[in-house]
């Protein structure tokens, strides 16, 4: 039985900042952000959106009256959780009016958690073939104004339905994993911004890619030449390019150029949004599927997932017949086309107006937010 991605959509808030202008404001060469980091625009997340509302805005696009009652498991990957106890998946289940007799849980392992959700969903469907699983990854990537990580911020959510006979991608066995206890990037419980050892995290990312790809090739006796494209978790788009370049000596020049071409298609959307943390690899997937003109059903795509701390996975998925129709490219492009640019000072004001972690009663400027789901504030220590 084939199991994999049947539907997939993405949401990011309406606002962005231009990276060339941000570079100037930070007294950096625009080339550093545009080429050296590989980002053109960065999503700015208002205080009317959090991990739950962004996930709801993404998932609402793929849940309808035909499939709502078939969802029997919700897996919510996030590292921007809104509660230390109650799972973000419970809020999502309620907002989307899913059945009550289902399982809903939040998963955490930095940016890797959505991949964990997809693989757990696949096993669930293999055990229960009629089931459909809603898997989401939703995050706000925050490092702080005037930090080295600032040009690698961003945010948004990707939602997908994992089912049997998927319309878009079938997930293949096996996967290759590598896990090690390292401190490259983390967020202590008291902090709203991540702590990061930037250079070390980038080296570890490449090392984990090398290890998992090698392990995958050993397990499956396959080579890079079997893959039409390799796509990446993109904390910043140059990171994926560096990782890809580090293994191109494993294939011939013609195929190496093909992988580089497909990589360019896969980074178009992340260039415009920034880091999505858990959803980032799947924004690369959407970008490849929407923008590449070379893809055909039956071709295989390699996916590298990395979550700091750290856990990596490399796996392969196969494009299904009619995947182009199932992707609904127009609606996906529209999310990016409908955005508005903020000046640097407007961005800084929005960045600083996040709901404080300790404030009991707080009202957001919800009139600003035209999204279907938004955060209205906090009252009696409950989010509204
Ligand atoms: N034109 C073109 N390129 C230029 C340039 C110019 N004018 N000026 C500088 N550059 C290049 C530099 O040569 C460098 O390129 P290489 O990396 O290829 O050498 C690049 O721009 C960046 O310059 P710096 O290394 O000087 O940048 P920095 O020290 O200010 O910080 C960073 C870069 C470490 C990525 C920092 O933004 C950061 O810490 N980001 C957050 C951490 C991160 O994203 N880590 C990724 C792996 S961890 C992960 O994947 C999990 C996750 O999601 C966080």
């Amino acid at each position: 039985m084939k199991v994999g991605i049947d539907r997939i959509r993405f949401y990011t808030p309406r606002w962005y900042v231009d990276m060339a202008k941000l570079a100037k404001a930070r007294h950096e060469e625009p080339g550093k952000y545009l080429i050296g980091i590989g980002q053109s625009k960065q999503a700015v997340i208002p205080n009317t959106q959090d991990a739950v509302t962004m996930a709801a805005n993404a998932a609402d696009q793929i849940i309808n009256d035909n499939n709502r009652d078939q969802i029997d498991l919700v897996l919510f990957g996030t590292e921007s959780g809104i509660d230390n106890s109650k799972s973000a998946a419970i809020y999502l289940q309620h907002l989307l009016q899913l059945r009550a007799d289902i399982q809903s849980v939040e998963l955490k392992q930095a940016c890797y958690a959505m991949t964990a959700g997809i693989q757990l969903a696949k096993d669930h469907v293999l055990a229960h073939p009629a089931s459909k699983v809603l898997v989401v990854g939703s995050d706000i990537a925050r490092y702080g104004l005037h930090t080295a990580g600032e040009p690698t911020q961003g945010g948004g959510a990707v939602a997908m339905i994992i089912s049997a006979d998927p319309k878009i991608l079938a997930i293949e066995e096996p996967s290759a994993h590598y896990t090690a206890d390292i401190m490259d990037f983390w967020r202590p419980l008291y902090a709203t911004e991540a702590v990061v050892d930037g250079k070390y995290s980038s080296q570890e990312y490449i090392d984990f890619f090398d290890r998992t790809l090698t392990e995958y090739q050993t397990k499956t006796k396959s080579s890079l030449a079997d893959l039409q494209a390799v796509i990446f978790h993109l904390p910043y788009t140059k990171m994926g390019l560096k990782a890809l370049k580090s293994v191109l000596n494993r294939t011939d020049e013609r195929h190496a150029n093909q992988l580089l071409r497909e990589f360019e298609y896969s980074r178009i959307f992340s260039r415009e949004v920034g880091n999505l943390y858990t959803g980032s690899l799947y924004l690369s997937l959407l970008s490849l599927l929407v923008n590449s003109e070379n893809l055909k059903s039956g071709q295989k795509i390699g996916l590298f997932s990395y979550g700091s701390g750290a856990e990596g996975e490399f796996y392969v998925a196969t494009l299904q017949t009619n995947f182009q129709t199932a992707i609904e490219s127009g609606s996906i492009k529209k999310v990016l086309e409908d955005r508005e640019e903020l000046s640097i000072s407007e961005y800084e004001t929005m960045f600083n107006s996040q709901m404080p972690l300790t404030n009991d009663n707080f009202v957001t400027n919800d009139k600003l937010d035209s999204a279907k789901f938004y955060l209205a504030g906090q009252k009696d220590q409950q989010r509204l």
Side-chain angles (χ1 to χ4, degrees):
M1 182 173 66
K2 287 182 187 171
V3 179
I5 302 174
D6 193 55
R7 301 200 70 189
I8 176 167
R9 290 292 272 275
F10 133 84
Y11 170 81
T12 190
R14 256 181 47 212
W15 293 282
Y16 71 87
V17 69
D18 179 278
M19 294 303 280
K21 293 178 189 164
L22 183 62
K24 278 196 193 131
R26 300 293 180 254
H27 310 291
E28 298 280 7
E29 285 286 316
K32 173 170 172 181
Y33 289 6
L34 299 175
I35 302 160
I37 304 271
Q39 296 300 132
S40 307
K41 292 176 184 170
Q42 183 172 101
V44 182
I45 316 301
N47 61 16
T48 46
Q49 292 292 326
D50 64 15
V52 168
T53 58
M54 292 194 299
N57 285 314
D60 185 58
Q61 302 172 50
I62 53 173
I63 298 291
N64 53 44
D65 289 343
N66 297 327
N67 61 18
R68 193 179 311 274
D69 288 344
Q70 292 172 302
I71 305 287
D72 66 358
L73 175 60
V74 180
L75 296 172
F76 193 131
T78 186
E79 54 188 302
S80 319
I82 60 165
D83 194 289
N84 282 329
S85 177
K86 179 172 171 174
S87 131
I90 298 287
Y91 291 94
L92 186 63
Q93 177 186 3
H94 166 73
L95 291 172
L96 299 174
Q97 299 175 307
L98 303 180
R99 271 172 27 210
D101 60 333
I102 69 174
Q103 291 174 288
S104 291
V105 285
E106 183 175 314
L107 303 170
K108 178 163 68 182
Q109 183 14 65
C111 308
Y112 170 69
M114 188 172 186
T115 301
I118 291 168
Q119 295 292 357
L120 291 169
K122 184 192 74 179
D123 290 345
H124 178 82
V125 174
L126 283 170
H128 310 280
S131 142
K132 290 186 190 291
V133 184
L134 175 63
V135 183
V136 299
S138 181
D139 278 298
I140 302 173
R142 278 172 75 86
Y143 295 91
L145 304 177
H146 304 273
T147 63
E150 185 181 23
T152 65
Q153 296 180 145
V158 176
M160 57 177 74
I161 293 177
I162 301 292
S163 73
D165 301 321
K167 293 195 186 67
I168 298 171
L169 270 183
I171 298 167
E172 307 295 341
E173 290 280 358
S175 286
H177 298 97
Y178 185 70
T179 305
D181 183 358
I182 60 169
M183 297 305 279
D184 60 331
F185 163 106
W186 67 101
R187 184 161 67 84
L189 287 175
Y190 53 79
T192 51
E193 278 89 40
V195 184
V196 62
D197 186 341
K199 294 273 159 40
Y200 175 58
S201 69
S202 302
Q203 282 161 15
E204 289 298 315
Y205 176 112
I206 291 182
D207 181 52
F208 274 58
F209 175 55
D210 175 43
R211 286 172 187 273
T212 53
L213 177 66
T214 304
E215 171 71 8
Y216 180 84
Q217 292 182 330
T218 309
K219 273 184 178 174
T220 56
K221 300 189 173 40
S222 65
S223 74
L224 265 189
D226 299 324
L227 303 174
Q228 171 67 21
V230 180
I231 59 171
F232 295 85
H233 164 59
L234 292 177
Y236 54 98
T237 75
K238 175 82 167 291
M239 184 73 254
L241 182 62
K242 283 186 189 187
L244 179 61
K245 284 185 170 168
S246 74
V247 299
L248 288 180
N249 58 359
R250 299 187 193 184
T251 192
D252 63 47
E253 194 183 337
R254 188 203 58 81
H255 186 244
N257 287 333
Q258 174 194 316
L259 292 178
L260 285 167
R261 248 192 331 270
E262 299 293 8
F263 174 78
E264 289 303 325
Y265 290 119
S266 77
R267 73 160 156 170
I268 291 173
F269 290 169
S270 293
R271 252 190 180 287
E272 302 280 302
V273 180
N275 198 351
L276 247 63
Y277 287 165
T278 47
S280 167
L281 169 59
Y282 302 98
L283 186 60
S284 308
L285 173 65
L286 272 174
S287 186
L288 177 75
L289 299 183
V290 169
N291 295 305
S292 171
E293 289 162 3
N294 312 314
L295 302 180
K296 294 187 182 59
S297 64
Q299 288 174 341
K300 295 194 183 308
I301 296 172
L303 296 94
F304 174 61
S305 183
Y306 178 77
S308 288
E311 183 157 355
E313 176 171 336
F314 184 85
Y315 69 102
V316 165
T318 306
L319 287 167
Q320 299 300 289
T321 321
N322 301 329
F323 71 91
Q324 273 114 339
T325 325
I327 275 298
E328 301 167 284
S329 303
S331 316
I332 290 162
K333 285 184 184 160
K334 201 163 175 341
V335 176
L336 295 176
E337 286 161 6
D338 285 353
R339 297 188 303 167
E340 290 168 32
E341 183 180 344
L342 295 179
S343 69
I344 300 301
S345 70
E346 287 167 330
Y347 145 67
E348 290 175 347
T349 304
M350 204 175 262
F351 187 92
N352 286 329
S353 71
Q354 292 301 299
M355 190 166 76
L357 283 179
T358 52
N359 199 331
D360 200 359
N361 294 310
F362 184 80
V363 180
T364 59
N365 189 0
D366 60 1
K367 290 186 189 62
L368 260 180
D369 202 320
S370 56
K372 179 163 175 185
F373 298 98
Y374 60 85
L375 178 69
Q378 179 165 289
K379 190 162 182 288
D380 300 332
Q381 306 204 46
Q382 296 177 28
R383 294 210 167 203
L384 309 172

PDB file of all heavy atoms in Angstrom, residues 124-136:
ATOM      1  N   HIS A 124       0.760   5.017  11.216  1.00  0.00           N
ATOM      2  CA  HIS A 124      -0.640   4.941  11.662  1.00  0.00           C
ATOM      3  C   HIS A 124      -1.542   4.531  10.494  1.00  0.00           C
ATOM      4  O   HIS A 124      -2.423   3.679  10.646  1.00  0.00           O
ATOM      5  CB  HIS A 124      -1.056   6.318  12.200  1.00  0.00           C
ATOM      6  CG  HIS A 124      -2.472   6.391  12.654  1.00  0.00           C
ATOM      7  ND1 HIS A 124      -2.886   5.962  13.898  1.00  0.00           N
ATOM      8  CD2 HIS A 124      -3.602   6.832  12.025  1.00  0.00           C
ATOM      9  CE1 HIS A 124      -4.188   6.142  14.017  1.00  0.00           C
ATOM     10  NE2 HIS A 124      -4.652   6.672  12.889  1.00  0.00           N
ATOM     11  N   VAL A 125      -1.304   5.103   9.319  1.00  0.00           N
ATOM     12  CA  VAL A 125      -2.138   4.770   8.151  1.00  0.00           C
ATOM     13  C   VAL A 125      -1.860   3.334   7.697  1.00  0.00           C
ATOM     14  O   VAL A 125      -2.785   2.614   7.295  1.00  0.00           O
ATOM     15  CB  VAL A 125      -1.907   5.777   6.999  1.00  0.00           C
ATOM     16  CG1 VAL A 125      -2.652   5.354   5.740  1.00  0.00           C
ATOM     17  CG2 VAL A 125      -2.345   7.180   7.424  1.00  0.00           C
ATOM     18  N   LEU A 126      -0.610   2.890   7.791  1.00  0.00           N
ATOM     19  CA  LEU A 126      -0.312   1.495   7.416  1.00  0.00           C
ATOM     20  C   LEU A 126      -1.093   0.533   8.316  1.00  0.00           C
ATOM     21  O   LEU A 126      -1.556  -0.516   7.876  1.00  0.00           O
ATOM     22  CB  LEU A 126       1.193   1.223   7.524  1.00  0.00           C
ATOM     23  CG  LEU A 126       2.035   1.789   6.370  1.00  0.00           C
ATOM     24  CD1 LEU A 126       3.526   1.684   6.675  1.00  0.00           C
ATOM     25  CD2 LEU A 126       1.716   1.078   5.047  1.00  0.00           C
ATOM     26  N   ALA A 127      -1.273   0.920   9.600  1.00  0.00           N
ATOM     27  CA  ALA A 127      -2.018   0.068  10.530  1.00  0.00           C
ATOM     28  C   ALA A 127      -3.541   0.229  10.373  1.00  0.00           C
ATOM     29  O   ALA A 127      -4.298  -0.674  10.694  1.00  0.00           O
ATOM     30  CB  ALA A 127      -1.606   0.386  11.966  1.00  0.00           C
ATOM     31  N   HIS A 128      -3.955   1.421   9.896  1.00  0.00           N
ATOM     32  CA  HIS A 128      -5.404   1.724   9.787  1.00  0.00           C
ATOM     33  C   HIS A 128      -5.633   2.375   8.418  1.00  0.00           C
ATOM     34  O   HIS A 128      -5.733   3.610   8.323  1.00  0.00           O
ATOM     35  CB  HIS A 128      -5.845   2.692  10.888  1.00  0.00           C
ATOM     36  CG  HIS A 128      -5.415   2.289  12.255  1.00  0.00           C
ATOM     37  ND1 HIS A 128      -6.073   1.336  12.997  1.00  0.00           N
ATOM     38  CD2 HIS A 128      -4.361   2.682  13.016  1.00  0.00           C
ATOM     39  CE1 HIS A 128      -5.462   1.170  14.162  1.00  0.00           C
ATOM     40  NE2 HIS A 128      -4.416   1.967  14.183  1.00  0.00           N
ATOM     41  N   PRO A 129      -5.714   1.586   7.350  1.00  0.00           N
ATOM     42  CA  PRO A 129      -5.679   2.152   5.991  1.00  0.00           C
ATOM     43  C   PRO A 129      -6.777   3.176   5.658  1.00  0.00           C
ATOM     44  O   PRO A 129      -6.582   4.000   4.772  1.00  0.00           O
ATOM     45  CB  PRO A 129      -5.786   0.905   5.105  1.00  0.00           C
ATOM     46  CG  PRO A 129      -5.266  -0.205   5.945  1.00  0.00           C
ATOM     47  CD  PRO A 129      -5.663   0.113   7.346  1.00  0.00           C
ATOM     48  N   ALA A 130      -7.899   3.165   6.369  1.00  0.00           N
ATOM     49  CA  ALA A 130      -8.966   4.121   6.041  1.00  0.00           C
ATOM     50  C   ALA A 130      -8.720   5.480   6.698  1.00  0.00           C
ATOM     51  O   ALA A 130      -9.411   6.463   6.399  1.00  0.00           O
ATOM     52  CB  ALA A 130     -10.303   3.569   6.505  1.00  0.00           C
ATOM     53  N   SER A 131      -7.721   5.533   7.584  1.00  0.00           N
ATOM     54  CA  SER A 131      -7.509   6.755   8.358  1.00  0.00           C
ATOM     55  C   SER A 131      -6.848   7.872   7.543  1.00  0.00           C
ATOM     56  O   SER A 131      -6.095   7.619   6.597  1.00  0.00           O
ATOM     57  CB  SER A 131      -6.644   6.381   9.564  1.00  0.00           C
ATOM     58  OG  SER A 131      -5.725   7.372   9.852  1.00  0.00           O
ATOM     59  N   LYS A 132      -7.137   9.100   7.924  1.00  0.00           N
ATOM     60  CA  LYS A 132      -6.413  10.259   7.381  1.00  0.00           C
ATOM     61  C   LYS A 132      -5.821  11.012   8.577  1.00  0.00           C
ATOM     62  O   LYS A 132      -6.512  11.187   9.585  1.00  0.00           O
ATOM     63  CB  LYS A 132      -7.339  11.184   6.598  1.00  0.00           C
ATOM     64  CG  LYS A 132      -7.819  10.577   5.274  1.00  0.00           C
ATOM     65  CD  LYS A 132      -8.616  11.592   4.491  1.00  0.00           C
ATOM     66  CE  LYS A 132      -9.319  10.973   3.298  1.00  0.00           C
ATOM     67  NZ  LYS A 132      -8.421  10.543   2.238  1.00  0.00           N
ATOM     68  N   VAL A 133      -4.568  11.425   8.454  1.00  0.00           N
ATOM     69  CA  VAL A 133      -3.908  12.107   9.569  1.00  0.00           C
ATOM     70  C   VAL A 133      -3.589  13.538   9.163  1.00  0.00           C
ATOM     71  O   VAL A 133      -3.047  13.780   8.073  1.00  0.00           O
ATOM     72  CB  VAL A 133      -2.601  11.379   9.966  1.00  0.00           C
ATOM     73  CG1 VAL A 133      -1.973  12.048  11.188  1.00  0.00           C
ATOM     74  CG2 VAL A 133      -2.864   9.907  10.241  1.00  0.00           C
ATOM     75  N   LEU A 134      -3.927  14.477  10.042  1.00  0.00           N
ATOM     76  CA  LEU A 134      -3.555  15.878   9.821  1.00  0.00           C
ATOM     77  C   LEU A 134      -2.217  16.119  10.518  1.00  0.00           C
ATOM     78  O   LEU A 134      -2.105  15.925  11.733  1.00  0.00           O
ATOM     79  CB  LEU A 134      -4.626  16.808  10.404  1.00  0.00           C
ATOM     80  CG  LEU A 134      -4.296  18.302  10.345  1.00  0.00           C
ATOM     81  CD1 LEU A 134      -4.171  18.803   8.902  1.00  0.00           C
ATOM     82  CD2 LEU A 134      -5.367  19.121  11.090  1.00  0.00           C
ATOM     83  N   VAL A 135      -1.201  16.498   9.738  1.00  0.00           N
ATOM     84  CA  VAL A 135       0.116  16.799  10.303  1.00  0.00           C
ATOM     85  C   VAL A 135       0.413  18.264  10.017  1.00  0.00           C
ATOM     86  O   VAL A 135       0.282  18.710   8.863  1.00  0.00           O
ATOM     87  CB  VAL A 135       1.228  15.915   9.687  1.00  0.00           C
ATOM     88  CG1 VAL A 135       2.571  16.208  10.339  1.00  0.00           C
ATOM     89  CG2 VAL A 135       0.898  14.434   9.833  1.00  0.00           C
ATOM     90  N   VAL A 136       0.793  19.029  11.039  1.00  0.00           N
ATOM     91  CA  VAL A 136       1.148  20.434  10.822  1.00  0.00           C
ATOM     92  C   VAL A 136       2.514  20.730  11.441  1.00  0.00           C
ATOM     93  O   VAL A 136       2.933  20.078  12.398  1.00  0.00           O
ATOM     94  CB  VAL A 136       0.110  21.423  11.418  1.00  0.00           C
ATOM     95  CG1 VAL A 136      -1.263  21.245  10.786  1.00  0.00           C
ATOM     96  CG2 VAL A 136       0.018  21.291  12.917  1.00  0.00           C
TER      97      VAL A 136
END
